[in-house]
Amino acid sequence: MPSTKAVDLAAHPLTAWQGPLGLPDFTRIGDGDFSPVFDAALKAHEAEIEAIAGNKDAPTIENTLAALELGGEALDRVSSIFWCRAGAYTNETIQALERDISPKMSRHFSAISMNERLFARIDDLYQRRESLKLDAETLRVLEKTWKGFVRSGAKLDADGKKRLAKISEELSSLGTSFGQNVLADESDWALFLDEADLAGLPDFVKSSMAEAAEIRGQKGRYAVTLSRSIYEPFSTFSERRDLREIAFRAFTMRGQNGGATDNTNVVRDMLRLRAEKAKLLGYASFAALKLDDTMAKTPKAVHALLDPVWEKALEKAASDQIELQRLATEAGSNEKFAAWDWRFYQEKLRAEKFAFDEAELKPYLQLDRIIDACFDVATRLFGITFEEKKGIAAWHPDARVFVVKNADGSERGLFLADYFARPSKRSGAWMSALQSGYRLGHGASPVIYNIMNFAKPPAGEPALLSVDEAKTLFHEFGHALHGMLTDVTWPSVAGTSVSRDFVELPSQLYEHWLTVPAVLEKHALHVKTGKPMPKALLDKMLAARTFGAFATVEFTASALMDMAYHARPDAPEVPLRFETETLAELHMPDTIAMRHRTPHFGHVFSGDGYSAGYYSYMWSEVLDADAFAAFEETGDPFNPSLAERLRKNIYAAGGSKDPEELYTAFRGKMPSPEAMMVKRGLV
Ligand SMILES: [Zn+2]
């Protein structure tokens, strides 16, 4: 029986944070507490919303916008602890709760965005915004809030609202079918092989293929499957051209095999509904709707990035192909060079050009020293310092607690980090906040955390990282700095509350400092000899990663296709014919396939996440390369005046201003793709 006892939100450890350093007292939180506290916090928030919407006084910034922003504190607190536990330290109780809470939360927030009396008050402020004499940040928050309501359909008449709700519902179920169809095609297909068919495959590929076969009931054999983690290494290493071709054809036809799992009509219907939704909300195209609150803003700006990259990548790919064909001929192949040959010969070329073993780097990358390196770079760039507090309970005994201090010694906030993998933690690495930092009302200081999944070493031995893992540590710490350095008034624009094509700038940019020679010399020390990592070894590894235009061509083709589908006012009659025609216009080489063909392009069709947004991966890469080039141009990777501009306009500013304005204030100009193209080996 769930407890019917009333929850006192002002005293409960999930919502009244009375532990050391202002953290929640984790020792007093039980799994059974979440459900009743969620219910009480949702009710409390509903009452707050009702009080704002039903206020008899004329709307003011104070009684409407600020009240809306500061409302739901208890809900924020219980949510932040719950989602931290769900990702980093879960169990069956938490998982069951997740399924229960997700739909409750989505109903709760959609009721708020559909609240007509609430919108009327926001709209009233918005219409009078010029005469309210607001500071720039408040004006931006008002505009963003208003736009958020409008994009959810607040301005539509009753029929329009009904139609929009219907479209959203249909899109969401089509998106689910799309993903399930791809999954079905992937799990239905397997190519079973025997020992004699494995020529060229390294042990790690063989062992995952053996496991895949065993799961499918063919113990002792080997399965090529359509999971990227098997398909890609198989096509990279297998000497068997015939098998590579079979795998390639199956991989590129996922979602287009006829029958119940065919996505052709799902895509057609989704594109129609998206175009209709955009029209209903007053936008020229679905891309225009999606890009409206991003840094890029328009399809034209996306093309200004992608088109020059595409041109260079095609040129480079043509010259790459000549070299690969030479290798193929030397290897005795007289077949026409095909799409299932590219990865294979590219790997041969890579081995020929950059022979080295990545394992040689690992003894230089000790976890504790690389954590020091993250902190040290932050101190040199931004003046903040980190002091570990031992013995403070967090969500799990492995989580460590650090007090973050400003240059003058005052406290800025807290940083928590949980570095090691365990079965109760989901895979991957991420940053989040238990509390974000802002000044409105009583204000709050940031409590930010990082979760990693490094292998825990045996007791007494230091944890060693691969280069990728060290980069991930810097990446997530860059996100954490975005949260910790935040210096804004309004909660909704604090820290990482920025557009999708801007949010990876602070993290990807921070990765660059890992390979700055001064940082490696000080922190990348051999676990036994204490000697710094030889720079030549690292350079070789970095060069090996960015060689060839293949990755740029396969990615950019997909990004351009995403734009082609969504930047038109209507939907194409037959999407797959449109795909073929668009590729022909782009002069796509027939020896490279798109990274994601339409019938399995999950980023874009399995839900809404990256629709008209696949470009943003590359956009972020342009930003971080261009931003780091600013430091390189001064000859000092820690240039103090540039670092101050970086802190003020990027890491501290959150979403308080338009990202374009922020970037220009830091860099003196908008980013150009040159530095990224150099990094990708295109110029
Ligand atoms: Zn990231």
Side-chain angles (χ1 to χ4, degrees):
M1 270 299 283
S3 161
T4 49
K5 202 174 81 211
V7 172
D8 181 3
L9 294 173
H12 196 282
L14 274 170
T15 45
W17 291 3
Q18 290 162 343
L21 304 172
L23 282 170
D25 184 351
F26 283 97
T27 61
R28 292 173 53 215
I29 296 172
D31 293 353
D33 290 337
F34 286 108
S35 190
V37 173
F38 258 112
D39 287 343
L42 281 163
K43 267 211 191 86
H45 194 211
E46 270 164 30
E48 284 166 335
I49 296 294
E50 182 48 40
I52 302 167
N55 194 334
K56 296 279 178 280
D57 297 338
T60 63
I61 291 295
E62 202 65 50
N63 74 17
T64 302
L65 194 64
L68 187 61
E69 290 258 333
L70 292 171
E73 195 193 28
L75 187 58
D76 285 346
R77 286 189 157 188
V78 59
S79 301
S80 69
I81 299 174
F82 179 75
W83 293 112
C84 173
R85 282 288 310 272
Y89 188 32
T90 192
N91 58 35
E92 277 176 18
T93 312
I94 300 277
Q95 280 172 348
L97 266 174
E98 243 181 294
R99 292 190 285 274
D100 183 42
I101 282 161
S102 299
K104 265 190 198 167
M105 294 289 270
S106 102
R107 274 199 301 276
H108 176 73
F109 286 106
S110 95
I112 294 174
S113 66
M114 287 293 167
N115 187 318
E116 293 188 7
R117 288 173 305 145
L118 182 60
F119 176 66
R121 294 179 69 85
I122 296 287
D123 190 44
D124 177 79
L125 290 171
Y126 178 80
Q127 302 304 337
R128 294 188 285 123
R129 66 193 182 284
E130 300 299 339
S131 65
L132 293 173
K133 301 201 171 36
L134 305 174
D135 62 87
E137 188 185 327
T138 306
L139 178 62
R140 184 168 161 85
V141 170
L142 175 58
E143 285 172 349
K144 277 173 76 88
T145 306
W146 183 84
K147 251 187 184 170
F149 276 94
V150 171
R151 288 164 66 96
S152 321
K155 272 167 73 91
L156 297 176
D157 61 19
D159 283 350
K161 279 197 175 102
K162 226 162 137 194
R163 181 64 194 145
L164 186 68
K166 182 90 181 114
I167 291 175
S168 303
E169 203 177 296
E170 277 180 43
L171 277 173
S172 121
S173 78
L174 285 165
T176 306
S177 314
F178 184 95
Q180 287 171 350
N181 289 343
V182 176
L183 198 64
D185 275 14
E186 285 175 358
S187 53
D188 285 356
W189 193 92
L191 176 62
F192 292 98
L193 303 176
D194 297 302
E195 196 72 46
D197 306 314
L198 306 183
L201 299 179
D203 286 342
F204 81 93
V205 188
K206 286 187 202 168
S207 68
S208 21
M209 286 170 65
E211 201 185 313
E214 191 176 340
I215 292 170
R216 287 162 178 78
Q218 301 237 20
K219 194 169 156 61
R221 301 191 77 197
Y222 301 85
V224 183
T225 70
L226 299 180
S227 124
R228 207 176 267 282
S229 61
I230 289 186
Y231 166 73
E232 279 189 1
F234 179 81
S235 3
T236 304
F237 294 107
S238 173
E239 308 264 352
R240 287 280 298 277
R241 189 172 194 267
D242 57 332
L243 301 179
R244 293 200 310 264
E245 178 176 356
I246 294 171
F248 173 86
R249 292 194 186 280
F251 192 72
T252 50
M253 287 301 282
R254 285 170 298 147
Q256 198 191 338
N257 291 310
T261 61
D262 194 293
N263 272 330
T264 310
N265 292 340
V266 178
V267 168
R268 182 199 60 201
D269 294 347
M270 287 185 84
L271 290 171
R272 281 182 189 163
L273 288 165
R274 284 174 175 173
E276 188 189 343
K277 177 177 176 176
K279 196 174 272 175
L280 197 59
L281 291 170
Y283 288 87
S285 67
F286 185 71
L289 166 69
K290 286 285 297 214
L291 291 170
D292 190 37
D293 64 350
T294 62
M295 181 173 179
K297 293 190 187 67
T298 62
K300 201 172 150 216
V302 173
H303 277 285
L305 159 73
L306 295 178
D307 294 352
V309 174
W310 181 245
E311 208 173 292
K312 283 274 180 255
L314 284 186
E315 275 171 32
K316 179 74 171 60
S319 68
D320 287 354
Q321 187 173 332
I322 293 170
E323 214 172 342
L324 299 179
Q325 271 168 332
R326 171 187 63 83
L327 278 181
T329 315
E330 283 171 13
S333 163
N334 41 26
E335 310 269 3
K336 185 176 176 298
F337 192 82
W340 45 92
D341 293 322
W342 197 292
R343 285 178 200 277
F344 179 74
Y345 287 107
Q346 174 167 277
E347 178 56 31
K348 292 253 178 286
L349 189 60
R350 191 197 301 270
E352 182 183 303
K353 280 192 173 171
F354 312 96
F356 82 101
D357 182 3
E358 209 185 307
E360 283 174 52
L361 293 168
K362 220 168 166 165
Y364 294 95
L365 300 170
Q366 303 174 55
L367 172 63
D368 279 331
R369 292 203 177 260
I370 303 303
I371 294 170
D372 285 346
C374 281
F375 291 167
D376 191 23
V377 170
T379 305
R380 291 186 70 173
L381 287 171
F382 308 124
I384 55 171
T385 54
F386 296 81
E387 192 187 310
E388 182 159 13
K389 295 281 179 194
K390 300 255 186 195
I392 291 177
W395 55 88
H396 184 276
D398 277 354
R400 295 163 65 175
V401 180
F402 302 85
V403 174
V404 188
K405 290 187 172 164
N406 293 308
D408 64 6
S410 59
E411 253 181 47
R412 144 140 244 117
L414 298 175
F415 173 63
L416 286 78
D418 182 357
Y419 294 110
F420 296 120
R422 55 177 171 261
S424 59
K425 196 191 264 188
R426 81 169 151 84
S427 62
W430 63 96
M431 163 273 185
S432 192
L434 287 181
Q435 176 172 284
S436 50
Y438 57 86
R439 286 188 293 270
L440 193 69
H442 299 298
S445 55
V447 181
I448 306 298
Y449 65 89
N450 273 170
I451 308 284
M452 302 285 148
N453 265 292
F454 303 139
K456 197 170 190 169
E461 280 180 38
L464 300 178
L465 305 180
S466 68
V467 175
D468 275 339
E469 288 172 327
K471 277 194 150 197
T472 303
L473 190 71
F474 266 70
H475 180 100
E476 296 308 330
F477 192 72
H479 281 307
L481 284 171
H482 202 189
M484 293 184 284
L485 289 168
T486 201
D487 186 14
V488 302
T489 299
W490 293 82
S492 68
V493 292
T496 54
S497 306
V498 297
S499 63
R500 187 184 49 204
D501 59 0
F502 195 66
V503 73
E504 295 299 326
L505 170 60
S507 52
Q508 290 182 186
L509 174 58
Y510 208 68
E511 290 176 31
H512 289 262
W513 276 280
L514 169 64
T515 48
V516 161
V519 174
L520 288 176
E521 278 156 27
K522 190 169 166 194
H523 300 284
L525 307 178
H526 195 281
V527 62
K528 293 233 168 72
T529 66
K531 292 219 172 82
M533 175 189 291
K535 179 85 167 51
L537 196 60
L538 185 87
D539 284 349
K540 217 172 186 181
M541 195 262 336
L542 294 175
R545 288 199 175 185
T546 55
F547 114 101
F550 177 85
T552 309
V553 170
E554 62 160 12
F555 171 87
T556 312
S558 286
L560 287 166
M561 190 61 66
D562 173 31
M563 274 298 141
Y565 276 130
H566 295 111
R568 38 183 290 165
D570 55 357
E573 205 65 39
V574 185
L576 293 181
R577 193 170 71 211
F578 180 75
E579 180 189 69
T580 311
E581 289 164 359
T582 306
L583 287 177
E585 276 167 32
L586 287 170
H587 305 289
M588 177 77 174
D590 60 2
T591 46
I592 300 180
M594 279 190 286
R595 184 155 180 86
H596 312 277
R597 278 197 58 236
T598 304
H600 49 255
F601 199 169
H603 294 78
V604 168
F605 295 110
S606 179
D608 225 6
Y610 276 81
S611 55
Y614 192 61
Y615 79 91
S616 45
Y617 292 101
M618 186 172 272
W619 185 273
S620 311
E621 215 182 305
V622 166
L623 291 180
D624 78 70
D626 184 74
F628 193 70
F631 283 90
E632 290 179 319
E633 285 159 17
T634 70
D636 176 6
F638 298 98
N639 184 295
S641 62
L642 200 54
E644 174 51 20
R645 287 218 300 274
L646 180 66
R647 187 198 62 78
K648 184 167 174 245
N649 298 297
I650 308 293
Y651 285 91
S656 62
K657 287 183 185 157
D658 184 276
E660 184 177 334
E661 194 184 319
L662 291 174
Y663 193 84
T664 314
F666 156 63
R667 185 65 161 113
K669 63 177 182 72
M670 274 293 271
S672 60
E674 272 75 48
M676 180 274 287
M677 291 203 272
V678 170
K679 205 173 133 197
R680 281 187 170 244
L682 298 179
V683 283

